[in-house]
Each structure stands twice: as C-alpha cells, then as structure tokens.
Amino acid sequence: MCTKNLLYYSLYILYLISFVFALDLTKTQTTNPRVCIIGAGLAGLTSARYLKEEGIKFVVLESSRYVGGTWRYDPRVGYDENGLPLHTSMYMHLRTNLPKPTMELRGFPLPDDIPSFPSWKIYYNYIKNYTKHFDLEKHIKFLHKVVLVSRVNNIWKVKYQNVLTGEEFEDEFDFVIVGTGHFSKPNMPNIPGEEKFSGSIIHSHDYREPVRYKGRRVLVVGAGPSGMDIAIDVAYAAKTLVHSHHSKINFRPVFPKHYIRKPDVKEFNETGAIFNDGSYENLDDVIYCTGFEYYYPFLDESCGLNLTPRSVTPLYKYMVNIYQPTMMVMGLVIRACLVVALDAQSRYATAIIKGNFTLPTKEEMLQEWQKRADVIISKGRPISDIHFLAEKEDEYYAELTKESGIDRVPPVMFKIRVTDTEAKLENLYTYRDYNYTVIDNENFIRTLDNITKNNSGNSL
Ligand SMILES: Cc1cc2nc3c(=O)[nH]c(=O)nc-3n(C[C@H](O)[C@H](O)[C@H](O)COP(=O)(O)OP(=O)(O)OC[C@H]3O[C@@H](n4cnc5c(N)ncnc54)[C@H](O)[C@@H]3O)c2cc1C
Ligand SMILES: *[C@@H]1O[C@H](CO)[C@@H](O)[C@H](O)[C@H]1NC(C)=O
Ligand SMILES: *[C@@H]1O[C@H](CO)[C@@H](O)[C@H](O)[C@H]1NC(C)=O
Ligand SMILES: *[C@@H]1O[C@H](CO)[C@@H](O)[C@H](O)[C@H]1NC(C)=O
Ligand SMILES: *[C@@H]1O[C@H](CO)[C@@H](O)[C@H](O)[C@H]1NC(C)=O
Ligand SMILES: *[C@@H]1O[C@H](CO)[C@@H](O)[C@H](O)[C@H]1NC(C)=O
Ligand SMILES: *[C@@H]1O[C@H](CO)[C@@H](O)[C@H](O)[C@H]1NC(C)=O
C-alpha cells in the first residue's frame, strides 16, 4: 500500500516537473527568440530594421558582398568573382516602373530632387542610405551563403557556407525569414530548334545594355514588365525589333516603325524564327523575357513547403509557412506595390516574433488558404495565381493591420498603382513623365514631372 502510494506520488512529481519544464521551454523561445534572415535585399533589410527596433536578436546571411540584391547593377553576366551565379537582373537603363511614393520604405522618404520614376542607380543609393541610417551592416554576414535549412526537433537548423573559404557552419534558430527574392532564376521557354539557331539567345536576367544590338534584327519574347521595358530599350538601337507574345493586354501602338508584333514562336532554324501563324523572320539575336522561377534550393523537405518553379504553398497571408509557422517567405506577391508590401510583411513578421499577436491554428490557416485555392481552381486558373494580389492589394494591407496591429499601408498606395497601370497601357513611352504627390491617406495628385522632362534626353 505504502509503496503504491509512493509510486503514484513520484509519478505525480515527475508529471509536474515535465509540465514546468515544457512551459519553461516555450518561454525561452518566445522571450529570447533567435532569428535568421536569409538575404540582404529589401526584404532582409526591412526585416532587420524592424527586428532591431524591437530589440530582437537576429543575423542576416548574405551570399554576396553587397546589400540591395537585385537593385545593384553588375555589368557582368554568369558568375561573380567567387564563382556564384550573379543574382542581379538589373539592366543599365532601368527606371522604376512605379512612382516614388510607392517605392518608399516606411519613415525614410526618397529625396525631393530626384525623378518621379528614379533610375536603378538612384534607387540603389537609396537602399544603401537606408542600410546606413538604420545601422544594419554590422548585423549582416556578407559572403555567407545559406545551403540548407531544415526543421529538426522543433528547431531550425541553418547550414551556411563562407563562399571564399568554403568553410561550413550550422546554427540553430527559432525563426527563419526567407528573403532571397524570386527574380533571379530564369524561366526558359525551351522552343524547338533553339540549338540550330546561329545567332545569340539570352534571358532578360542577362540583359544589360542595348548597344550590342545596334543595327541588328532582334527578337524579344514575352510582354510582362521586363518584356515591354526591354523591347522599348532594344528598339532604340536595333534595326528591326520583333516582339513575340500572346498577351491580351491591349498596348497602344506607340512603337517605332521597325517594330513587328508576332504571335508565339513555333520553332527556330539556323537563320531565324517561324511563328505560330506560319510567318518567318530573319534574326540575329533573341532575348527571352519569359519571367523567373521560384527557386529555394536550400529549403529541405522538413520545412513543410510544397515548392515548384511556379508556386510556393501553402502560405498564410501570402507569407507564413502554414506547416511551420515560424518561417516566413517574403515578397511572394505579384501585381502589388512590392516595396510597400515587403515593408508591411516585415512589420507583420516582426509582430509575430515579438509575440504581439498569435496566428490562427494550423487548421484555420489551411482552411483559409484552401478557400483561395478553390476559387482559382474553379476558374480553371493555374495554382500560380495564388500569389496574385492585383485588385485585392488594399484589402490585404487592411487584413495585415487588423490581425497584427501594425500601422496600415494607406489606401492611396493602391490607388496610385491603379492610375500608374492605366497610364502604362495608354502610353509606354510617357507614363514615367507623371509625378505623383500624396495629399493624405486616400488622395494624391498627378502632375507632369518637370525633373524628368529636363532629363528626357537620356531618360529612355
Ligand atoms: C529588373 C527588375 C526590375 C524591378 N523593378 C521594380 C520596380 O520598379 N518597382 C518595384 O517595386 N519592384 C521592382 N522589382 C522587384 C524587386 O525584386 C523588388 O523591388 C525587391 O528588390 C525585392 O527584394 P528582395 O529582398 O525580395 O530580393 P532581392 O533584391 O533579389 O535580394 C535577395 C538577396 O538574397 C541573397 N541570396 C540569395 N540566395 C541566398 C542564399 N542562399 N544565401 C544567402 N543569401 C542569398 C542575394 O544575394 C540577394 O542579395 C524589379 C525586379 C527586377 C528583377
Ligand atoms: C543618399 O544620401 C546622400 C548623403 O546623405 C544624399 O546626398 C543622397 O541624396 C541620398 N540619396 C538617396 C537616393 O537617398
Ligand atoms: C528557315 O526557315 C525559313 C522559312 O521556312 C526559310 O525561308 C529559311 O531559308 C530557313 N533557313 C535555313 C537556313 O534553312
Ligand atoms: C508590438 O506591440 C508594441 C506594444 O503595443 C508596439 O509598441 C510595437 O510597435 C509592436 N511591434 C510591432 C512590430 O508591431
Ligand atoms: C512633384 O510635384 C510636387 C508637387 O507639385 C513637387 O513638390 C515635386 O517637386 C514634384 N517632384 C518632381 C520629381 O517633379
Ligand atoms: C515644376 O516643379 C516645381 C517644383 O519643383 C513646381 O513649383 C512647378 O509648378 C512645376 N512646373 C510645372 C510646369 O509642372
Ligand atoms: C529645366 O531646364 C531649364 C533649361 O535648362 C531650366 O531653366 C529649368 O529651371 C529646369 N527646371 C527644373 C525643374 O529643373
């Protein structure tokens, strides 16, 4: 009798101890979280800024020796001096495709005396200024490439490599913020006969300057933002610009005379391309503006994400990894003011890590995601549409605020984007001549940007 009581008693004590121990474990996780940010582009930098403001411990791992990710122009293509694939897709004549107010990071205005649609050079300087202003550089481990992220015993293990020495490290973290961008890995269309074609074929990722196309017959494939922009840039120098695409968007005919619109390419031969309508064009060069693939080679299966070149699923609020909600994947929104969205996502992620609010249960998050997926599937659309914000952009900002308590991105941002998109459709050559000034959270005025006008000689 007595021994039996003693047994129960000790079991009860053990039970209590385990309970206290478990409590204690969760406590150390939330009171002193360790955060790993992967990438020092805008996603990584804004996350770093907000975590720093909350006094949360973090490290940024960046494989290059620079901040700014894709905004840093590099004249080279292929591989960098350390043998890493060049990440940037920037080209010499690029100017932003959204106006200043929608390119601004919170609490850090762009200078007044720059064009309404700044060049990459100005914008890259802005990013460097931001990094300096918030003193972020000392938190960044440059030249350290993340090679593996895995979930082991309820902790994140992040394996990374010094790209100069090859030395490998592994650290443990409570949260992982993935900020490696998704405009770097080319999506190649693989058109029959490519190997026969005697001219050059590149992807827009490797497009830098139009000079090499001077006096040549060039085919640009695709009519996304890069396709339209690069078609205009190359048309300037080329003898003939053949533009092949199947976009239903009705761009006004504002192209020069030597611009030829074609349907999709059926196949190449030695001298040119045969199109789906049976027509043929002689060509010297081809530029594929066929977009990019989602590419996260370092995310192990244990991360719980379904990764394909076209989609990353399932994500709550377009960013939280539903099966492992201590991982956020940043910037996976299409058709949005991406910089503003990234800034808001970074604050939302910080609010999660800080413990300012609690996410819904896994089941609730999945249910919400499934609802969105069902709508897309019922319309016969590909699941890649799951990343489209488009007309839902402002609603998204409202939801982030409602749930997390972060300051709301004002509705005027979405309104500016809509007006900018209309101007783009009206005239691709002049939409950057407008200057947008925010009056209040709801309103803006649009005037002609007289700084750009004065520079119009080289503003192409
Ligand atoms: C040509 C072009 C034009 C654009 N124009 C506009 C525009 O006008 N307006 C707009 O709002 N947006 C524009 N964008 C979108 C642009 O991508 C975003 O503005 C923003 O730069 C995204 O930032 P990011 O931090 O998500 O990614 P990135 O800028 O791509 O940064 C990712 C960083 O992660 C690092 N990295 C990658 N893999 C690893 C790894 N394994 N380990 C460690 N580090 C790693 C990279 O070196 C890089 O520094 C444009 C994009 C392109 C390509
Ligand atoms: C960056 O900072 C420098 C020095 O303060 C300033 O002159 C410049 O206008 C800033 N540029 C941008 C784009 O923020
Ligand atoms: C490529 O195809 C076109 C159209 O059929 C033809 O006119 C041209 O001669 C072909 N080029 C070669 C090298 O066969
Ligand atoms: C978290 O909540 C505190 C207290 O309300 C607030 O000061 C802070 O800004 C919030 N942090 C984030 C990232 O929302
Ligand atoms: C845009 O317009 C505002 C208000 O009219 C003006 O203050 C600003 O200097 C203009 N900016 C540019 C780049 O033209
Ligand atoms: C040009 O910009 C200045 C401010 O920078 C503004 O006062 C002026 O009205 C603008 N002029 C035109 C014609 O837009
Ligand atoms: C534009 O250029 C003209 C002539 O060079 C100059 O008089 C004017 O002040 C410039 N305007 C601005 C806003 O820089």
Side-chain angles (χ1 to χ4, degrees), residues 222-229 243 247 251 289:
S226 298
M228 298 315 290
D229 224 33
H243 195 183
S247 170
F251 300 100
C289 299

mmCIF file with all atom_site columns, all heavy atoms in Angstrom, residues 222-229 243 247 251 289:
data_model
loop_
_atom_site.group_PDB
_atom_site.id
_atom_site.type_symbol
_atom_site.label_atom_id
_atom_site.label_alt_id
_atom_site.label_comp_id
_atom_site.label_asym_id
_atom_site.label_entity_id
_atom_site.label_seq_id
_atom_site.pdbx_PDB_ins_code
_atom_site.Cartn_x
_atom_site.Cartn_y
_atom_site.Cartn_z
_atom_site.occupancy
_atom_site.B_iso_or_equiv
_atom_site.pdbx_formal_charge
_atom_site.auth_seq_id
_atom_site.auth_comp_id
_atom_site.auth_asym_id
_atom_site.auth_atom_id
_atom_site.pdbx_PDB_model_num
ATOM 1  N N   . GLY A 1 222 ? 7.979  37.726 -75.036 1.00 0.00 ? 222 GLY A N   1
ATOM 2  C CA  . GLY A 1 222 ? 7.299  37.991 -73.768 1.00 0.00 ? 222 GLY A CA  1
ATOM 3  C C   . GLY A 1 222 ? 6.891  39.442 -73.617 1.00 0.00 ? 222 GLY A C   1
ATOM 4  O O   . GLY A 1 222 ? 7.569  40.342 -74.122 1.00 0.00 ? 222 GLY A O   1
ATOM 5  N N   . ALA A 1 223 ? 5.762  39.663 -72.916 1.00 0.00 ? 223 ALA A N   1
ATOM 6  C CA  . ALA A 1 223 ? 5.248  41.028 -72.754 1.00 0.00 ? 223 ALA A CA  1
ATOM 7  C C   . ALA A 1 223 ? 4.868  41.312 -71.307 1.00 0.00 ? 223 ALA A C   1
ATOM 8  O O   . ALA A 1 223 ? 3.910  42.014 -71.012 1.00 0.00 ? 223 ALA A O   1
ATOM 9  C CB  . ALA A 1 223 ? 4.060  41.258 -73.674 1.00 0.00 ? 223 ALA A CB  1
ATOM 10 N N   . GLY A 1 224 ? 5.648  40.740 -70.376 1.00 0.00 ? 224 GLY A N   1
ATOM 11 C CA  . GLY A 1 224 ? 5.492  41.118 -68.978 1.00 0.00 ? 224 GLY A CA  1
ATOM 12 C C   . GLY A 1 224 ? 6.205  42.451 -68.778 1.00 0.00 ? 224 GLY A C   1
ATOM 13 O O   . GLY A 1 224 ? 6.620  43.074 -69.761 1.00 0.00 ? 224 GLY A O   1
ATOM 14 N N   . PRO A 1 225 ? 6.384  42.884 -67.519 1.00 0.00 ? 225 PRO A N   1
ATOM 15 C CA  . PRO A 1 225 ? 7.057  44.163 -67.282 1.00 0.00 ? 225 PRO A CA  1
ATOM 16 C C   . PRO A 1 225 ? 8.443  44.212 -67.944 1.00 0.00 ? 225 PRO A C   1
ATOM 17 O O   . PRO A 1 225 ? 8.778  45.208 -68.588 1.00 0.00 ? 225 PRO A O   1
ATOM 18 C CB  . PRO A 1 225 ? 7.183  44.228 -65.760 1.00 0.00 ? 225 PRO A CB  1
ATOM 19 C CG  . PRO A 1 225 ? 6.129  43.306 -65.239 1.00 0.00 ? 225 PRO A CG  1
ATOM 20 C CD  . PRO A 1 225 ? 5.924  42.259 -66.273 1.00 0.00 ? 225 PRO A CD  1
ATOM 21 N N   . SER A 1 226 ? 9.233  43.127 -67.838 1.00 0.00 ? 226 SER A N   1
ATOM 22 C CA  . SER A 1 226 ? 10.569 43.130 -68.441 1.00 0.00 ? 226 SER A CA  1
ATOM 23 C C   . SER A 1 226 ? 10.470 43.125 -69.960 1.00 0.00 ? 226 SER A C   1
ATOM 24 O O   . SER A 1 226 ? 11.216 43.830 -70.638 1.00 0.00 ? 226 SER A O   1
ATOM 25 C CB  . SER A 1 226 ? 11.374 41.902 -68.010 1.00 0.00 ? 226 SER A CB  1
ATOM 26 O OG  . SER A 1 226 ? 11.554 41.906 -66.630 1.00 0.00 ? 226 SER A OG  1
ATOM 27 N N   . GLY A 1 227 ? 9.561  42.338 -70.527 1.00 0.00 ? 227 GLY A N   1
ATOM 28 C CA  . GLY A 1 227 ? 9.399  42.242 -71.966 1.00 0.00 ? 227 GLY A CA  1
ATOM 29 C C   . GLY A 1 227 ? 9.074  43.584 -72.586 1.00 0.00 ? 227 GLY A C   1
ATOM 30 O O   . GLY A 1 227 ? 9.670  43.981 -73.594 1.00 0.00 ? 227 GLY A O   1
ATOM 31 N N   . MET A 1 228 ? 8.145  44.310 -71.985 1.00 0.00 ? 228 MET A N   1
ATOM 32 C CA  . MET A 1 228 ? 7.757  45.617 -72.526 1.00 0.00 ? 228 MET A CA  1
ATOM 33 C C   . MET A 1 228 ? 8.911  46.606 -72.403 1.00 0.00 ? 228 MET A C   1
ATOM 34 O O   . MET A 1 228 ? 9.229  47.343 -73.334 1.00 0.00 ? 228 MET A O   1
ATOM 35 C CB  . MET A 1 228 ? 6.523  46.163 -71.789 1.00 0.00 ? 228 MET A CB  1
ATOM 36 C CG  . MET A 1 228 ? 5.268  45.332 -71.916 1.00 0.00 ? 228 MET A CG  1
ATOM 37 S SD  . MET A 1 228 ? 4.890  44.742 -73.587 1.00 0.00 ? 228 MET A SD  1
ATOM 38 C CE  . MET A 1 228 ? 4.427  46.257 -74.408 1.00 0.00 ? 228 MET A CE  1
ATOM 39 N N   . ASP A 1 229 ? 9.516  46.620 -71.249 1.00 0.00 ? 229 ASP A N   1
ATOM 40 C CA  . ASP A 1 229 ? 10.588 47.578 -70.971 1.00 0.00 ? 229 ASP A CA  1
ATOM 41 C C   . ASP A 1 229 ? 11.810 47.317 -71.854 1.00 0.00 ? 229 ASP A C   1
ATOM 42 O O   . ASP A 1 229 ? 12.391 48.238 -72.427 1.00 0.00 ? 229 ASP A O   1
ATOM 43 C CB  . ASP A 1 229 ? 10.986 47.415 -69.497 1.00 0.00 ? 229 ASP A CB  1
ATOM 44 C CG  . ASP A 1 229 ? 11.159 48.757 -68.812 1.00 0.00 ? 229 ASP A CG  1
ATOM 45 O OD1 . ASP A 1 229 ? 10.434 49.693 -69.174 1.00 0.00 ? 229 ASP A OD1 1
ATOM 46 O OD2 . ASP A 1 229 ? 12.029 48.842 -67.922 1.00 0.00 ? 229 ASP A OD2 1
ATOM 47 N N   . HIS A 1 243 ? 8.671  41.478 -81.780 1.00 0.00 ? 243 HIS A N   1
ATOM 48 C CA  . HIS A 1 243 ? 8.165  41.232 -80.424 1.00 0.00 ? 243 HIS A CA  1
ATOM 49 C C   . HIS A 1 243 ? 7.108  40.140 -80.483 1.00 0.00 ? 243 HIS A C   1
ATOM 50 O O   . HIS A 1 243 ? 6.037  40.331 -81.045 1.00 0.00 ? 243 HIS A O   1
ATOM 51 C CB  . HIS A 1 243 ? 7.585  42.534 -79.849 1.00 0.00 ? 243 HIS A CB  1
ATOM 52 C CG  . HIS A 1 243 ? 7.387  42.473 -78.383 1.00 0.00 ? 243 HIS A CG  1
ATOM 53 N ND1 . HIS A 1 243 ? 6.812  43.511 -77.664 1.00 0.00 ? 243 HIS A ND1 1
ATOM 54 C CD2 . HIS A 1 243 ? 7.705  41.526 -77.471 1.00 0.00 ? 243 HIS A CD2 1
ATOM 55 C CE1 . HIS A 1 243 ? 6.775  43.164 -76.380 1.00 0.00 ? 243 HIS A CE1 1
ATOM 56 N NE2 . HIS A 1 243 ? 7.304  41.973 -76.243 1.00 0.00 ? 243 HIS A NE2 1
ATOM 57 N N   . SER A 1 247 ? 0.147  38.178 -75.025 1.00 0.00 ? 247 SER A N   1
ATOM 58 C CA  . SER A 1 247 ? -0.557 38.991 -74.040 1.00 0.00 ? 247 SER A CA  1
ATOM 59 C C   . SER A 1 247 ? -1.839 39.544 -74.648 1.00 0.00 ? 247 SER A C   1
ATOM 60 O O   . SER A 1 247 ? -1.850 39.994 -75.791 1.00 0.00 ? 247 SER A O   1
ATOM 61 C CB  . SER A 1 247 ? 0.337  40.141 -73.589 1.00 0.00 ? 247 SER A CB  1
ATOM 62 O OG  . SER A 1 247 ? -0.428 41.044 -72.812 1.00 0.00 ? 247 SER A OG  1
ATOM 63 N N   . PHE A 1 251 ? -1.838 47.030 -75.582 1.00 0.00 ? 251 PHE A N   1
ATOM 64 C CA  . PHE A 1 251 ? -0.937 48.173 -75.546 1.00 0.00 ? 251 PHE A CA  1
ATOM 65 C C   . PHE A 1 251 ? -1.210 49.038 -76.770 1.00 0.00 ? 251 PHE A C   1
ATOM 66 O O   . PHE A 1 251 ? -1.348 48.526 -77.870 1.00 0.00 ? 251 PHE A O   1
ATOM 67 C CB  . PHE A 1 251 ? 0.520  47.702 -75.572 1.00 0.00 ? 251 PHE A CB  1
ATOM 68 C CG  . PHE A 1 251 ? 0.882  46.836 -74.417 1.00 0.00 ? 251 PHE A CG  1
ATOM 69 C CD1 . PHE A 1 251 ? 0.930  45.460 -74.547 1.00 0.00 ? 251 PHE A CD1 1
ATOM 70 C CD2 . PHE A 1 251 ? 1.183  47.401 -73.182 1.00 0.00 ? 251 PHE A CD2 1
ATOM 71 C CE1 . PHE A 1 251 ? 1.252  44.649 -73.470 1.00 0.00 ? 251 PHE A CE1 1
ATOM 72 C CE2 . PHE A 1 251 ? 1.507  46.602 -72.107 1.00 0.00 ? 251 PHE A CE2 1
ATOM 73 C CZ  . PHE A 1 251 ? 1.551  45.218 -72.256 1.00 0.00 ? 251 PHE A CZ  1
ATOM 74 N N   . CYS A 1 289 ? 12.189 37.202 -72.521 1.00 0.00 ? 289 CYS A N   1
ATOM 75 C CA  . CYS A 1 289 ? 11.684 37.900 -71.330 1.00 0.00 ? 289 CYS A CA  1
ATOM 76 C C   . CYS A 1 289 ? 10.523 37.071 -70.809 1.00 0.00 ? 289 CYS A C   1
ATOM 77 O O   . CYS A 1 289 ? 9.366  37.501 -70.840 1.00 0.00 ? 289 CYS A O   1
ATOM 78 C CB  . CYS A 1 289 ? 11.268 39.313 -71.684 1.00 0.00 ? 289 CYS A CB  1
ATOM 79 S SG  . CYS A 1 289 ? 12.644 40.290 -72.322 1.00 0.00 ? 289 CYS A SG  1
#
